[in-house]
Amino acid sequence: MIPLGAKADKATVRRHNLSLVLRTVHGTGEVTRAGIAARVGLTRAAVSSLVEQLLGYGFITEWGKTSSGQAGRPGTVLKVARTGPAGVGVEINVGHIAVCVVDLAGTDRVRLVEDFDSRGMQPSRVLARAARLTARALDSAAGQGLEPVGAHVAVPGLVTGGTVRQAPNLGWNRVAVEGVFAQALLALRPLRALPVSSDNEANAAALAELWYGAGTEGARSFLYLSGEVGIGGALVLKGELLRGAHGFAGEIGHMVVDPDGRPCRCGARGCLEQYAGQAALLSTAGLGADAGAPGVAELRRRARERDPSALAAMERAGRQLGVAVSGAVNLFDPDVVMLGGVYRELSEWLAPAVGRELARRVVSGLWDRDRSRLRPASPLSDAARGSAGVVVREVLADPAAYGERGGSGPRRTASTAGR
Amino acid sequence: MIPLGAKADKATVRRHNLSLVLRTVHGTGEVTRAGIAARVGLTRAAVSSLVEQLLGYGFITEWGKTSSGQAGRPGTVLKVARTGPAGVGVEINVGHIAVCVVDLAGTDRVRLVEDFDSRGMQPSRVLARAARLTARALDSAAGQGLEPVGAHVAVPGLVTGGTVRQAPNLGWNRVAVEGVFAQALLALRPLRALPVSSDNEANAAALAELWYGAGTEGARSFLYLSGEVGIGGALVLKGELLRGAHGFAGEIGHMVVDPDGRPCRCGARGCLEQYAGQAALLSTAGLGADAGAPGVAELRRRARERDPSALAAMERAGRQLGVAVSGAVNLFDPDVVMLGGVYRELSEWLAPAVGRELARRVVSGLWDRDRSRLRPASPLSDAARGSAGVVVREVLADPAAYGERGGSGPRRTASTAGR
C-alpha cells in the first residue's frame, strides 16, 4: 500500500501493481490475464508486462487454456507456482514443537510435530531441538522444489523485537529467540542462513485462522482464544491483527475474574488463567493439574459419558471464560469468538456456558440469539501454519524484493530479519 | 490513501497529493512551497500547481515572506485559512449540551454549552434543543467568515448507521439521531441543509484528545475513559480509533468487576459502571447518587479537605476502575490511559488506586514504575470539539470534494451524510 504521507511515483506504483497482480492470482486460485485486468482495473498491456515479470521470477505458472464455458475468448490460465518461495513456521509450546512449510498458494506442504514437555528446560536446548526439526522440514521442502525465504517462530509469551520478554508457562525470561534459533539452525546448515522473525503463539494461530481457516467465512473481525497451559488471546479487526502499542495486546488470560482470588504465575491474583486454563480445568475435574494432553483426552471421554464432575468442571470454567470474554467483546466488538487450542477440543461442553454469559452481558445485544458467533477454531489452522503464512505474506506484499534474486533465495542475507 | 486493492491512476494520485499538500500546511502551521516540496518529495512545480488549486478553493492563504533566518532564499509563507470550511460538533450528554465550531486549522472558534438534565425527556425534544443551540453557533460562525460543511453529533451510547441503538443513561432506544437532528436544524434554517453524521461520545472525546489534546505528546495509542453518569471508553491505536466490527467497541463500563454483583441498567450484573460510575461514586461518598455536577464539585471540595469518607469512596472506585482498566490494558496494550469527564476532575484522588492495580496486574511490566502512562485528559478536548474535528478531517482528507463548489458549501446536499 502506498502510505498516506508518501508521494506516489512510477517505480512505487509498478511495485504496488506487481504485488496486486500476484495477490489476484493467489486470491482467485486461477485466472487469465484478461480476468486480472478486469478485476484490478489496469490495462491488459500493463497486466501482461507484470505477469511476464512474475513468470520470470517463477512465482506464477501458466496452466493450460480456459474452457469455452467461460466468458470471452479462451486465455491462458495462471496459477501461483507450487515450487519456489515458501514460508517456514515454527511453534514452540509447553507440550510440543511443530514445524510447517507453506507454499505461495498457502498449501501446507510439510508438517512435523514432536510432543515433548519443555518446562524447566534451558531455552537454548528447546530452540536447538526446534532447529533440528526445522532442518528436517527444510530438507523435505527442498525435495519438493520449494525455497523457503524465512522462518517465523511462535512462542506462548510476550514477544517483541526478536526477544521473548516473558513466557511464564515455559519459564522463559528475556530470551533472544530469533538470534538463538537462527544460530542453532545455521550450525546444522552452514552457509545457508535463513532470516528469522518471531511472534506470540496466539497471534500466529489467529493469523492462520484468518488466512486459512475453514470457519472464518465472513469473519474478518474476531477474538481468538488459545487454551493451553496458559490462555493466549489475539484480536483481529477487519482482517488486521491488533498488536497494541508495544506488541503485547491480547493477554486475555490475565483479565481479572476475582480481584482477591488465586495467585497467578504473573504475580497478580484472580487472573482468568487460574480458573479456566488447562491446569485449572483438569484439576477441578479431579484429573490433576499436570495431566497434560492425555488429561484433556480423558476429560473429553468423561464428558462424552456425561460424568457429572467433568461436566461441572466445564460449566464452571466456561462461565468464568464467558465473564472475561464478555468484557473483551464489550471492549473490542468482534464479529466472532474462536475457541482454539484445547478449547477447540472441548468446545462442545464449554461453549454453552460461555454463550450464556455473552448473551447476558454484551451490551450491543448482538450476542443474544446468534450462537454462530461463538465457534471452535479450525483444526489445522495452528500457530505453526500461521507463522509460515507470515513469511508467505511478505512475498505476496512485495514480490520484487524476493524475485530480483531470480528465485535463488531471500534478498536479505542476515541471520535474523529483525523488526 | 490509495487502497491496497486499487490501481493508482493519475486522477487518484493528484487528489491524494492535493490532500497531502493541505495536510502538510495544516501540520506545520506555516510553510513555504519549497518547504512542502522538501517534506513530501514532490517537485516544486507539482507543489506550486497543487498550492494554486488550494488557494483557489480558499483553503489556504499566503502570509508574507519568510525571514532571512530560514534556510534558502525567502519564499511566501502559506497557512491554513481562518475563513472557509469548518466543522460543527454537537455533544449531547446527560447533564449538558455543547456545540463547537472548529476551523480548518483546528482552532475552536465558537463554543456554546447549556447545562440541563435531559433524562426522561423525549429524544426529539432534546435534539430540537441541540438544534437551536447549533443554529446560534452557525450564526456566530458565519459572522466570522466560516462556512460549516457538516455537523457531527456525539451521544453517550451505542451509535451506528445514523441511529442511537441504545443510550441507557439518556433512556434512548433506537433513535434516528442524524435524521431527527437534521430535520430540526433545517426547520430553523430553511433551504440550508447541513450534512449530519454521528458517533459515540467517548469516541469523539478520544479523537479530540488525539488531534487537539495537550497531554498526547507522543501518545498515539491510548485508552480513553469518559467518566460521566455512565462510563464510556474509546481505544485509539497508532492514531486510529478502533470502532470494532459493528462500531460498538470501547464499552468498558460493562466490563465485569463482580459476576454476581449489583444489577446494571444494561440488564446484566456486576458491571464496572455500578461501582465506579459517577452515581456509585457519589453514593458511596454519602452525597446521593443523583447529586450530579454539583455533587462532583462537593466531592472534590471534601477530598481537598481530606474528608475520610470522600477519600475512601475514591479509593474504592479507583480500585475497581483499576481492576477493569488492567484487563483492558492486558488485552489492548495502549501506551497511555487517559482519565476524562469527571475522572479528569477527580484524577488527583482516583489515579493512585488505579495506578496501583495497573502496576500489579499488567503482565508486560510496562506499568510498574512509569506513572506518567496514567494521565488526566486535556480540559478543552471534549466530545464536541472532537466531533467538529471529524468534519474538518474529512475536508483535509479530500479537499477536492469540498473545494469544487468554490467554497460555497459542502458538495453533498442531502440532509444527512449517511454511512
Side-chain angles (χ1 to χ4, degrees):
Chain A
M1 192 171 329
I2 301 170
L4 198 59
K7 66 169 179 170
D9 68 17
K10 220 174 137 187
T12 312
V13 169
R14 186 174 173 94
R15 209 153 163 163
H16 167 89
N17 287 339
L18 194 69
S19 165
L20 184 58
V21 168
L22 179 58
R23 282 180 288 117
T24 303
V25 180
H26 177 268
T28 49
E30 48 183 72
V31 65
T32 61
R33 287 168 177 80
I36 297 170
R39 264 166 228 269
V40 304
L42 290 165
T43 64
R44 289 214 193 184
V47 169
S48 287
S49 156
L50 295 161
V51 162
E52 286 315 307
Q53 194 171 342
L54 292 169
L55 285 167
Y57 291 166
F59 291 3
I60 59 175
T61 52
E62 296 187 317
W63 203 267
K65 295 278 176 186
T66 51
S67 69
S68 55
Q70 279 188 246
R73 58 192 177 123
T76 306
V77 172
L78 300 166
K79 287 188 180 185
V80 168
R82 282 183 57 85
T83 53
V88 181
V90 181
E91 175 188 349
I92 291 168
N93 226 315
V94 177
H96 69 275
I97 294 175
V99 179
C100 179
V101 181
V102 164
D103 64 21
L104 265 194
T107 309
D108 219 341
R109 299 284 291 276
V110 181
R111 172 172 288 271
L112 300 174
V113 183
E114 258 184 30
D115 283 339
F116 91 115
D117 190 343
S118 58
R119 276 177 294 185
M121 203 179 278
Q122 277 295 322
S124 60
R125 284 195 52 209
V126 178
L127 289 167
R129 187 140 175 184
R132 284 199 295 279
L133 200 64
T134 303
R136 276 174 47 205
L138 288 168
D139 288 344
S140 167
Q144 298 182 60
L146 291 168
E147 290 161 1
V149 300
H152 191 76
V153 182
V155 178
L158 300 174
V159 183
T160 185
T163 299
V164 177
R165 195 182 170 99
Q166 197 192 126
N169 292 306
L170 284 173
W172 291 17
N173 266 301
R174 304 206 164 271
V175 176
V177 61
E178 293 180 4
V180 174
F181 178 79
Q183 281 305 320
L185 193 57
L186 195 60
L188 297 168
R189 309 164 70 246
L191 305 177
R192 286 182 293 170
L194 197 65
V196 176
S197 51
S198 57
D199 200 357
N200 167 275
E201 173 264 339
N203 282 352
L207 290 173
E209 193 67 54
L210 176 68
W211 295 330
Y212 310 122
T216 45
E217 291 294 313
R220 306 265 301 156
S221 297
F222 58 89
L223 169 65
Y224 186 96
L225 298 176
S226 175
E228 301 288 345
V229 172
I231 304 176
L235 310 166
V236 173
L237 191 57
K238 293 179 183 156
E240 294 282 337
L241 181 68
L242 289 188
R243 301 189 166 277
H246 319 93
F248 301 143
E251 289 294 327
I252 196 168
H254 302 279
M255 283 182 81
V256 184
V257 221
D258 180 4
D260 298 307
R262 303 179 191 160
C264 181
R265 275 173 181 273
C266 77
R269 277 182 178 275
C271 298
L272 175 65
E273 209 161 281
Q274 299 306 319
Y275 298 82
Q278 180 182 302
L281 190 53
L282 292 176
S283 151
T284 315
L287 284 158
D290 289 326
V296 174
E298 175 62 16
L299 181 59
R300 263 179 76 98
R301 198 189 59 75
R302 291 190 189 176
R304 262 200 299 262
E305 290 173 359
R306 313 212 56 75
D307 170 73
S309 73
L311 296 177
M314 303 262 221
E315 166 70 26
R316 222 148 127 190
R319 195 191 163 204
Q320 302 280 30
L321 198 57
V323 166
V325 169
S326 299
V329 169
N330 275 326
L331 205 56
F332 167 69
D333 182 27
D335 212 32
V336 164
V337 171
M338 298 275 178
L339 298 173
V342 301
Y343 291 155
R344 186 181 63 73
E345 300 167 53
L346 303 173
S347 68
E348 187 180 337
W349 302 282
L350 292 170
V354 175
R356 225 159 29 239
E357 294 301 320
L358 283 164
R360 191 180 163 206
R361 298 187 182 278
V362 178
V363 286
S364 68
L366 292 174
W367 296 71
D368 283 4
R369 292 160 302 271
D370 192 353
R371 290 302 165 88
S372 72
R373 292 186 184 279
L374 180 64
R375 304 182 193 166
S378 312
L380 281 176
S381 300
D382 62 1
R385 191 160 181 211
S387 294
V390 168
V391 179
V392 165
R393 293 273 144 169
E394 283 174 13
V395 182
L396 294 175
D398 191 5
Y402 294 86
E404 294 304 333
R405 291 252 158 176
S408 69
R411 205 172 59 153
R412 295 169 300 177
T413 50
S415 65
T416 61
R419 290 255 155 174
Chain B
M1 193 171 329
I2 301 171
L4 198 61
K7 67 169 179 169
D9 68 19
K10 220 173 139 188
T12 313
V13 168
R14 186 173 173 94
R15 207 155 164 160
H16 167 90
N17 287 339
L18 194 68
S19 164
L20 184 57
V21 168
L22 179 57
R23 282 180 288 117
T24 304
V25 180
H26 176 267
T28 49
E30 49 183 72
V31 65
T32 61
R33 288 168 177 80
I36 297 170
R39 265 166 228 268
V40 304
L42 291 165
T43 64
R44 289 214 193 184
V47 168
S48 287
S49 156
L50 295 161
V51 162
E52 287 314 308
Q53 193 171 343
L54 293 169
L55 286 167
Y57 291 166
F59 291 5
I60 59 176
T61 52
E62 295 187 318
W63 202 266
K65 295 277 175 188
T66 52
S67 69
S68 56
Q70 280 188 245
R73 58 192 177 124
T76 306
V77 172
L78 301 166
K79 286 189 179 186
V80 169
R82 280 181 59 84
T83 54
V88 180
V90 181
E91 175 188 351
I92 292 168
N93 227 317
V94 176
H96 68 275
I97 295 175
V99 179
C100 181
V101 181
V102 165
D103 64 20
L104 265 193
T107 310
D108 219 340
R109 299 284 290 277
V110 182
R111 171 172 289 270
L112 300 174
V113 183
E114 258 184 29
D115 284 339
F116 90 114
D117 190 343
S118 59
R119 278 177 293 184
M121 204 180 278
Q122 278 294 325
S124 59
R125 284 194 53 207
V126 179
L127 290 167
R129 187 139 174 182
R132 283 199 296 278
L133 201 64
T134 303
R136 277 174 47 206
L138 288 168
D139 287 345
S140 167
Q144 299 183 59
L146 291 168
E147 292 161 0
V149 301
H152 190 77
V153 182
V155 179
L158 302 174
V159 183
T160 183
T163 300
V164 178
R165 198 184 169 98
Q166 198 191 125
N169 292 308
L170 284 174
W172 292 17
N173 267 300
R174 303 205 165 273
V175 175
V177 61
E178 293 180 5
V180 174
F181 179 79
Q183 280 305 320
L185 194 57
L186 195 60
L188 297 168
R189 308 164 72 246
L191 305 176
R192 286 182 293 169
L194 198 67
V196 176
S197 52
S198 59
D199 199 359
N200 168 275
E201 172 265 339
N203 283 352
L207 289 174
E209 193 66 54
L210 176 68
W211 295 330
Y212 310 120
T216 45
E217 291 295 311
R220 306 265 303 156
S221 298
F222 58 89
L223 169 64
Y224 185 96
L225 299 176
S226 174
E228 300 288 345
V229 171
I231 303 176
L235 311 166
V236 172
L237 191 56
K238 292 177 184 157
E240 294 280 339
L241 180 68
L242 290 187
R243 301 189 165 275
H246 319 93
F248 301 142
E251 288 294 327
I252 196 169
H254 302 280
M255 285 182 79
V256 184
V257 224
D258 180 3
D260 299 307
R262 302 180 192 159
C264 181
R265 273 172 182 274
C266 76
R269 275 182 178 277
C271 297
L272 174 64
E273 208 161 279
Q274 298 306 319
Y275 298 82
Q278 180 182 301
L281 188 53
L282 292 176
S283 150
T284 315
L287 283 158
D290 290 324
V296 174
E298 174 62 17
L299 180 60
R300 262 179 77 99
R301 199 189 58 75
R302 292 191 188 175
R304 261 199 300 261
E305 290 173 358
R306 314 212 58 72
D307 171 73
S309 72
L311 295 176
M314 304 261 221
E315 166 70 26
R316 222 148 128 192
R319 195 191 164 203
Q320 301 280 28
L321 198 57
V323 167
V325 169
S326 298
V329 169
N330 276 324
L331 204 57
F332 168 69
D333 182 29
D335 212 32
V336 164
V337 171
M338 297 277 177
L339 298 174
V342 300
Y343 292 155
R344 184 180 65 74
E345 300 167 53
L346 302 172
S347 68
E348 187 179 338
W349 301 281
L350 291 169
V354 176
R356 229 163 23 243
E357 295 301 320
L358 283 164
R360 188 180 166 207
R361 300 187 182 278
V362 177
V363 287
S364 68
L366 292 174
W367 296 71
D368 282 4
R369 289 162 303 272
D370 192 353
R371 290 302 165 89
S372 72
R373 292 186 184 279
L374 180 65
R375 302 182 195 166
S378 311
L380 281 176
S381 301
D382 61 1
R385 191 161 181 209
S387 294
V390 167
V391 178
V392 165
R393 293 274 145 168
E394 283 173 15
V395 181
L396 293 174
D398 191 4
Y402 294 86
E404 294 304 332
R405 292 251 159 175
S408 68
R411 205 171 60 153
R412 294 170 298 176
T413 52
S415 65
T416 60
R419 291 258 155 170

